[in-house]
């Protein structure tokens, strides 16, 4: 038996229970991993609330989609790792908030010796997402101007750094002045506190009325309409979630007038093939090793206190990445 967070009903952070769980032994193509650190992502909050029925496992379930740890057992047919290896995973299966877990071997990637497992657990899911956003969903190039909402958050921090390194002018928005300092450190050339000034007007001032090529919107209802207004003709509006609430549908007139592109990318689909997962994860880890991506693990919670971590995340009390550390 291992300790794990279990969800028996959808709701607030209080539905997350600290329980004993029998995870069994790895079967064909599976490995058992003793987690050293577990990453928290906002998608975990949506699953806890029951807002993504197509993605969440049936109740009861153990939440979490990102972790790093040591391989303690392997099932038949596994040749991608061995006992003692440090590996990480991001995406499926949803089962990370546990001391140990069973994983499909083909979803685990080797963590380079130079990278701490805590860093790996905090960066892989968000790093893979950032890779999809700046390299494949929209290919950021020198001369582009991009907007990153929630520029001091875990994903926003990586997006700002990566887009800056690719030669783009980065405009970051944040909710307060404390986070503005963090966003500036993340590589933003311009930072807007969107609760204090109209970010659309400020973006148009910065860009001399031209607008931007792409907006990465991880806020939702509060910023969505303004995000579309900031785009150039044929601009890309990329939705990353909605902690402020679900955005209203895009105006057909606005989309048509500007010939806008809109997408909600899924990192799981972009990395469904193992070769794509390996290529993307290697680029993420390489950028961490080279210092292109500076990972700020600003908050660590005991695994048993995952509910408090969710509460703080939802109430925007956090910056950078959040990890859970197994109590033992």
């Amino acid at each position: 038996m291992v300790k794990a967070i279990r969800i028996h009903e959808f709701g607030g952070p209080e539905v997350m229970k600290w329980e004993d769980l029998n995870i069994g032994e790895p079967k064909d193509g599976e490995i058992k991993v003793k987690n050293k650190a577990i990453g928290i992502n906002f998608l975990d909050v949506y699953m806890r609330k029951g807002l993504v029925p197509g993605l969440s496992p049936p109740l009861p379930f153990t939440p979490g989609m990102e972790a790093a740890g040591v391989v303690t057992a392997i099932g038949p047919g596994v040749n991608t790792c061995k006992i003692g290896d440090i590996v990480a995973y991001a995406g499926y299966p949803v089962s990370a908030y546990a001391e140990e877990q069973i994983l499909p071997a083909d979803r685990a990637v080797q963590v380079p010796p130079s990278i701490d497992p805590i860093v790996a657990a905090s960066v892989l899911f968000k790093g893979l997402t950032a890779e999809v956003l700046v390299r494949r969903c929209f290919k950021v190039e020198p001369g582009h101007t991009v907007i990153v909402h929630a520029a001091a958050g875990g994903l926003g921090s990586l997006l700002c750094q990566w887009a800056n390194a690719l030669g783009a002018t980065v405009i970051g928005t944040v909710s307060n002045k404390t986070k503005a300092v963090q966003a500036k450190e993340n590589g933003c050339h311009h930072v807007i506190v969107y609760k204090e000034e109209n970010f659309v007007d400020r973006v148009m001032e910065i860009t001399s009325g031209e607008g931007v090529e792409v907006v990465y919107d991880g806020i939702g209802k509060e910023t969505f309409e303004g995000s579309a207004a900031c785009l150039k003709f044929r601009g890309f509006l990329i939705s990353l979630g909605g902690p402020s609430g679900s955005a209203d549908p895009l105006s057909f007139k606005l989309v048509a007038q500007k010939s806008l592109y809109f997408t909600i990318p899924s990192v799981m689909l972009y990395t469904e093939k193992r070769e794509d997962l390996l290529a993307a994860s290697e680029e993420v880890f390489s950028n961490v090793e080279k210092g292109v991506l500076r990972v700020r693990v600003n908050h660590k919670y005991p695994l048993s206190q995952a509910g408090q971590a969710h509460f703080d995340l939802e109430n925007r009390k956090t910056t950078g990445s959040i990890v859970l550390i197994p109590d033992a």
Side-chain angles (χ1 to χ4, degrees):
M1 303 291 281
V2 300
K3 285 290 188 181
I5 296 292
R6 298 288 284 169
I7 294 177
H8 295 266
E9 59 180 326
F10 298 122
E14 70 280 356
V15 304
M16 304 172 75
K17 305 300 183 183
W18 184 237
E19 298 179 354
D20 291 320
L21 180 67
N22 185 0
I23 63 170
E25 295 299 323
K27 300 180 176 63
D28 286 0
E30 294 181 338
I31 59 176
K32 179 188 280 189
V33 178
K34 183 176 183 179
N35 287 332
K36 289 180 173 288
I38 298 121
I40 290 184
N41 298 281
F42 219 95
L43 186 54
D44 302 345
V45 173
Y46 296 149
M47 289 190 176
R48 191 201 73 222
K49 293 181 175 181
L51 300 179
V52 282
L55 298 178
S56 300
L59 293 168
F61 69 91
T62 300
M65 305 179 73
E66 179 180 36
V70 59
V71 177
T72 59
I74 60 174
V78 173
N79 56 18
T80 56
C81 61
K82 62 184 184 300
I83 292 174
D85 284 352
I86 303 297
V87 299
Y89 96 104
Y92 291 114
V94 180
S95 61
Y97 288 20
E99 293 174 329
E100 299 180 35
Q101 65 183 132
I102 302 294
L103 294 174
D106 65 358
R107 301 310 300 169
V109 299
Q110 297 280 345
V111 176
S114 61
I115 295 179
D116 189 292
I118 292 176
V119 171
S122 70
V123 75
L124 187 56
F125 193 100
K126 288 175 278 291
L128 291 174
T129 303
E131 191 272 345
V132 166
L133 294 174
V134 301
R135 303 290 283 168
R136 290 190 274 172
C137 190
F138 176 87
K139 192 172 180 62
V140 174
E141 298 177 348
H144 285 160
T145 303
V146 310
I147 294 175
V148 178
H149 289 305
L155 174 57
S157 296
L158 299 180
L159 275 175
C160 293
Q161 294 176 64
W162 208 328
N164 181 307
L166 291 170
T169 297
V170 183
I171 302 173
T173 78
V174 294
S175 59
N176 58 58
K177 291 180 179 178
T178 300
K179 292 184 177 182
V181 174
Q182 180 92 67
K184 198 72 174 177
E185 293 174 355
N186 289 336
C188 291
H189 300 89
H190 307 274
V191 182
I192 302 169
V193 181
Y194 70 87
K195 289 185 177 292
E196 296 182 3
E197 59 181 324
N198 186 301
F199 76 85
V200 178
D201 293 342
R202 182 73 182 104
V203 167
M204 288 306 173
E205 179 184 343
I206 292 168
T207 62
S208 301
E210 292 188 6
V212 303
E213 278 81 9
V214 59
V215 179
Y216 299 107
D217 193 329
I219 299 297
K221 190 176 183 67
E222 288 183 13
T223 55
F224 198 68
E225 186 174 337
S227 294
C230 289
L231 288 167
K232 290 181 175 181
F233 296 122
R234 302 188 303 278
F236 281 70
L237 177 51
I238 302 177
S239 176
L240 312 177
S244 70
S246 297
D248 295 328
L250 268 177
S251 162
F252 178 81
K253 182 179 179 181
L254 176 61
V255 172
Q257 284 177 338
K258 288 189 170 185
S259 294
L260 300 181
Y261 296 90
F262 172 68
T263 184
I264 307 175
S266 166
V267 67
M268 280 81 81
L269 293 178
Y270 275 91
T271 59
E272 188 173 24
K273 295 180 180 179
R274 181 160 176 81
E275 57 264 35
D276 292 331
L277 171 64
L278 291 176
S281 62
E282 286 170 5
E283 186 169 10
V284 170
F285 287 144
S286 174
N287 278 330
V288 172
E289 290 177 311
K290 291 185 294 186
V292 173
L293 298 179
R294 299 177 305 282
V295 183
R296 294 181 175 87
V297 185
N298 291 343
H299 308 274
K300 299 176 185 177
Y301 297 79
L303 176 56
S304 60
Q305 300 301 309
Q308 183 63 52
H310 273 221
F311 178 86
D312 292 347
L313 175 62
E314 288 182 87
N315 287 277
R316 303 185 190 182
K317 295 182 177 181
T318 65
T319 60
S321 296
I322 311 168
V323 296
L324 301 172
I325 306 297
D327 295 51

